[in-house]
Each structure stands twice: as structure tokens, then as C-alpha cells.
């Protein structure tokens, strides 16, 4: 019995050591911040998904007001595909789903500050943001449905042992219809969506 308890303690200590860096991710609200959907997640340096750090409740629970039966996969397509979260129907409450539930909240009204733990190894933090009905002359009601302009993805490359504050950079947009999880480099025709967030930074505590 003592050996079993010691083994559990060792496993717990190893798991805790994987996520040993305390970070604060600050997302500043811009002029276009009007109840956007947001997801923040961690990847390894090879682009493999590790865990979700934050996601808005509507996007996680799929509780869309007057939403279509097929869901809203275009709301946060890069996160949905990376996390393998079911964007079209309520997913089973397995371990990964419960982990995501633990980091959800209603859409914040004026920016967001997230305190989380990340791994000590080199990694990538990504932020995806999207506002519904964000139409312009390129992304109209006729060609973009509820979404308007597609989601935008920001990222910060975090080296091992990083101590200085890092700013996120805009790296592209998500799939307009949610059909894939790629980050599309061409952001042509996207304007007001770039004003949803004013800045995204990560500090190391």
C-alpha cells in the first residue's frame, strides 16, 4: 500500500513539474470588442496541441442563440480542430472535455486576464478571436453567413526559461466556414476584425 501511495505521489509530482511556469496572458479590448468568442491554448514547438488555457462558454458549450443545428464551427475553427472539441454537438463528458469546462467563462466585457501554468519546455501560446455579424464590403451577409469576417489567430513563441514579457503577433485567419483548422496567411479584406483586440501579451511570474 505504501509503495502504491509513493507511486501516486511521484506521478503527481512529475505531472506538476510539466506545468511549472506561472504566466499571465493579457488580452486588451479594442474598438471592435463586442462580446467576441475567444480561445487560448498551448502547443508544443512542433505545433501539437497540449491543452486549452481559456475558452468562452458559448464556444465550449455550443450554446448559440438561435444557432443552426450544425453548430458554429466557423466561430473558432483553429481551436476546434486543434483541441478536437466537437463543434457540432455536445461532446461526451470525458477527461478532456472536463478539462476544457474548467477554463471556460462568459465572454468578458472589457478585455481578459488569464493566470495559468505552462510547461518549462519551448512552447507556443495561441489566441483565436472572432465576432459574429462582423460584416464589411468583402465579407458580406451573402457570402459569410453569421460569421462575417473570419476568426483571427495570434501567437507567441515562448522559449525555455523566458522571463521577459512577450507580445503576440497576428499570424492569419481561420477557415471562413469552419471546414478546416488551418491558419490562412492571406488576411485580405479583413479590417474591423483586427480591432477586436488591441494587444495580447504574456508575462512570466
Amino acid at each position: 500500500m505504501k509503495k502504491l501511495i509513493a507511486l501516486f505521489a511521484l506521478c503527481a509530482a512529475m505531472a506538476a513539474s510539466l506545468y511549472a511556469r506561472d504566466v499571465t496572458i493579457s488580452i486588451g479590448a479594442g474598438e471592435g470588442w463586442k462580446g467576441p468568442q475567444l480561445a487560448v491554448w498551448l502547443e508544443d514547438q512542433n505545433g501539437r496541441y497540449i491543452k486549452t488555457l481559456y475558452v468562452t462558454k458559448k464556444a465550449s458549450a455550443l450554446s448559440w442563440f438561435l444557432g443552426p443545428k450544425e453548430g458554429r464551427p466557423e466561430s473558432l475553427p483553429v481551436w476546434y480542430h486543434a483541441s478536437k472539441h466537437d463543434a457540432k454537438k455536445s461532446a461526451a463528458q470525458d477527461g478532456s472535455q472536463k478539462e476544457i469546462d474548467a477554463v471556460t467563462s462568459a465572454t468578458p466585457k472589457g478585455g481578459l486576464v488569464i493566470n495559468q501554468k505552462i510547461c518549462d519546455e519551448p512552447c507556443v501560446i495561441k489566441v483565436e478571436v472572432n465576432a459574429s455579424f462582423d460584416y464589411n464590403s468583402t465579407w458580406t451577409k451573402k457570402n459569410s453567413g453569421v460569421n462575417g469576417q473570419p476568426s483571427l489567430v495570434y501567437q507567441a513563441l515562448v522559449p525555455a526559461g523566458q522571463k521577459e514579457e512577450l507580445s503576440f503577433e497576428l499570424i492569419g485567419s481561420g477557415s471562413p466556414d469552419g471546414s478546416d483548422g488551418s491558419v490562412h496567411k492571406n488576411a485580405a479584406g479583413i479590417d474591423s476584425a483586427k480591432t477586436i483586440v488591441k494587444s495580447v501579451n504574456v508575462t512570466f511570474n
Side-chain angles (χ1 to χ4, degrees), residues 19-26 40-42 51-55 99-104 112-119 125 202-205:
Y19 302 106
R21 277 195 282 184
D22 291 306
V23 298
T24 298
I25 302 163
S26 303
V40 184
W41 69 99
L42 187 67
K51 69 172 183 174
T52 296
L53 303 177
Y54 172 85
V55 63
E99 177 188 316
I100 290 173
D101 286 345
V103 293
T104 60
L112 178 68
V113 176
I114 306 163
N115 295 304
Q116 271 282 7
K117 289 183 179 292
I118 66 170
C119 53
I125 304 174
V202 57
T203 55
F204 302 85
N205 305 320

Side-chain angles (χ1 to χ4, degrees), residues 149-171:
Q149 296 170 67
S151 67
L152 293 180
V153 181
Y154 300 79
Q155 78 171 17
L157 305 177
V158 184
Q162 178 70 26
K163 295 182 179 180
E164 301 298 323
E165 180 177 358
L166 292 174
S167 296
F168 286 61
E169 64 173 337
L170 175 63
I171 60 170

Side-chain angles (χ1 to χ4, degrees), residues 39-52:
V40 184
W41 69 99
L42 187 67
E43 295 182 354
D44 67 18
Q45 59 184 337
N46 295 313
R48 290 186 290 259
Y49 171 86
I50 298 176
K51 69 172 183 174
T52 296

Side-chain angles (χ1 to χ4, degrees), residues 104-163:
T104 60
S105 76
T107 303
K109 293 183 178 180
L112 178 68
V113 176
I114 306 163
N115 295 304
Q116 271 282 7
K117 289 183 179 292
I118 66 170
C119 53
D120 277 331
E121 300 299 318
C123 58
V124 179
I125 304 174
K126 287 185 176 175
V127 173
E128 186 172 21
V129 60
N130 190 12
S132 301
F133 311 109
D134 193 8
Y135 303 116
N136 63 14
S137 58
T138 301
W139 301 93
T140 68
K141 291 182 180 180
K142 291 184 178 180
N143 67 21
S144 59
V146 174
N147 215 39
Q149 296 170 67
S151 67
L152 293 180
V153 181
Y154 300 79
Q155 78 171 17
L157 305 177
V158 184
Q162 178 70 26
K163 295 182 179 180

